Amino acid sequence: MATADMHHRRLCFAFAVLIPALGALPAAVHGHESVALRGRGTDAGQQVTGLPSTEEIERELLAAINKERAGRNLAVLRPSRALTDLARSHSAEMARGNILSHESSDGKSFTDRLAEAGVAFAANGENVARSGTFVADLIHQSFMESPGHRENVLNPDFDEVGIGIVRGPGTSCYVTEDFIRRLVQKPAAEVRALVLGALNEKRARKDLPPVVLIDEVGRTADAFAAAKAAGRELPPVPSLFGKTAVRLAIGPELAQVIGVIRESDLTGYGRAGIGVAFSRGPEHPGGAYFICVLLIEDSRSADPEVKSIGISTLPLQSEDGGRLEYAVAVILGR
């Protein structure tokens, strides 16, 4: 029988904190496992003529994946042209070198390839295989018999997939299945409206009036968010704002980032500015939102002695095991 060698990689970014590990891993971490499975299908002496096209095998594998997910009440995966291009390119490279690896010849990981292609994502995973069969159902069955590959196929967090098949030497073929949870960047104005709605919802529960947005404070909050996204030192808060407080939250999952902002103590602060930035970086390869809420004390009397802001960062553990970088500061510099 022909041999199917397989690898899987599970990469998730829960609030963009990377946790490297080896072996079969739970959600919200990333890792790598390799196994050798026995494939069933084309024998070594069988001729390659009359085999289905690689595009046909890709379509059949997609159908098999979605049938598997639908049978378990999981959302089916959308095919992605960008992921398909990446998967085909990686399979072609493995075929040229007759190797099986998640890393490219230049040492780039799947995460690196996604970032280089400009794909925004909150989680990703990859299955690769070298197969002696061109029968999609048998390739899929081999993936499902391996715990790590099965985890990627059935991961409820993923919503897009790209599949790339390339013929190798003799009767072999190389298979790459690339999975992501797509991160769709929302316009800054829409994000501000969502943050404002969350803040006012909490204030309404405490019988407080809605937050009043101030344009100049908003521009300062935008500068804070942009500086944090670029890894720069935060600028000082203008002294004319008086006593202020800052809530800064960062992560790829907008709903969860806003959830942390919502939990801020708004007592005594009725005016604000909301700053929004979206950026990639080593800590956030798939992209992340940087949201800053600059709060102004209810009292309209400005304190001219307040000159600067100090920011302290507190890493918080989320319920799903990920981490959210959450910074809180009260302006007391004089």
Side-chain angles (χ1 to χ4, degrees):
M1 294 292 183
T3 300
D5 300 317
M6 300 189 178
H7 288 208
H8 93 278
R9 185 175 293 274
R10 172 82 166 88
L11 302 170
C12 284
F13 296 92
F15 297 108
V17 176
L18 313 185
I19 310 172
L22 295 176
L25 298 168
V29 299
H30 62 108
H32 168 268
E33 175 187 88
S34 80
V35 296
L37 301 176
R38 302 299 296 178
R40 292 166 293 253
T42 308
D43 292 327
Q46 181 176 332
Q47 297 298 314
V48 186
T49 58
L51 293 174
S53 68
T54 54
E55 292 83 359
E56 183 179 349
I57 301 172
E58 291 168 0
R59 289 192 297 270
E60 291 175 351
L61 273 178
L62 174 62
I65 289 172
N66 280 335
K67 181 179 179 181
E68 202 83 58
R69 291 174 65 93
R72 291 166 172 78
N73 294 320
L74 297 172
V76 298
L77 301 180
R78 299 186 301 272
S80 162
R81 169 51 58 185
L83 293 181
T84 297
D85 290 344
L86 287 174
R88 287 174 176 172
S89 177
H90 189 61
S91 289
E93 183 173 278
M94 291 191 295
R96 286 193 300 271
N98 195 27
I99 59 172
L100 189 64
S101 176
H102 289 287
E103 288 192 350
S104 304
S105 58
D106 57 4
K108 292 180 179 177
S109 67
F110 176 41
T111 298
D112 296 331
R113 296 192 293 272
L114 284 170
E116 191 175 71
V119 177
F121 59 93
N124 71 55
E126 181 175 74
N127 290 342
V128 296
R130 178 172 47 216
S131 177
T133 177
F134 296 91
V135 180
D137 285 344
L138 296 180
I139 296 173
H140 176 71
Q141 183 177 341
S142 291
F143 276 136
M144 294 302 293
E145 290 173 353
S146 169
H149 304 91
R150 178 187 179 92
E151 179 185 354
N152 279 338
V153 170
L154 299 179
N155 192 312
D157 289 337
F158 295 148
D159 54 22
E160 290 190 8
V161 67
I163 301 171
I165 309 284
V166 172
R167 299 191 190 281
T171 58
S172 67
C173 68
Y174 285 80
V175 184
T176 301
E177 295 178 341
D178 285 342
F179 305 87
I180 65 167
R181 178 165 75 254
R182 172 71 66 172
L183 180 56
V184 179
Q185 182 181 351
K186 293 182 179 296
E190 182 178 346
V191 176
R192 288 191 189 92
L194 292 171
V195 173
L196 181 62
L199 293 176
N200 284 335
E201 179 185 357
K202 181 175 182 179
R203 289 179 66 87
R205 292 200 303 266
K206 294 187 174 184
D207 294 325
L208 295 173
V211 171
V212 175
L213 294 184
I214 302 175
D215 289 344
E216 184 60 32
V217 179
R219 284 189 284 272
T220 301
D222 271 331
F224 272 54
K228 189 67 176 177
R232 301 193 304 267
E233 183 177 349
L234 298 181
V237 172
S239 60
L240 60 87
F241 288 171
K243 184 178 180 180
T244 62
V246 170
R247 302 294 182 263
L248 180 63
I250 304 165
E253 300 287 1
L254 182 58
Q256 296 181 21
V257 174
I258 293 176
V260 171
I261 293 288
R262 184 190 295 115
E263 296 308 311
S264 302
D265 182 4
L266 304 178
T267 304
Y269 298 94
R271 296 170 294 159
I274 300 172
V276 178
F278 186 92
S279 180
R280 298 171 181 269
E283 295 183 6
H284 314 285
Y289 290 97
F290 295 73
I291 299 178
C292 173
V293 177
L294 177 55
L295 299 164
I296 307 297
E297 190 179 36
D298 282 334
S299 171
R300 295 185 179 275
S301 60
D303 185 349
E305 294 184 354
V306 176
K307 302 295 184 184
S308 62
I309 183 171
I311 298 291
S312 60
T313 301
L314 175 65
L316 300 179
Q317 192 75 21
S318 65
E319 293 181 358
D320 63 359
R323 293 179 62 199
L324 171 64
E325 187 177 347
Y326 175 47
V328 180
V330 177
I331 307 307
L332 294 175
R334 297 178 183 275

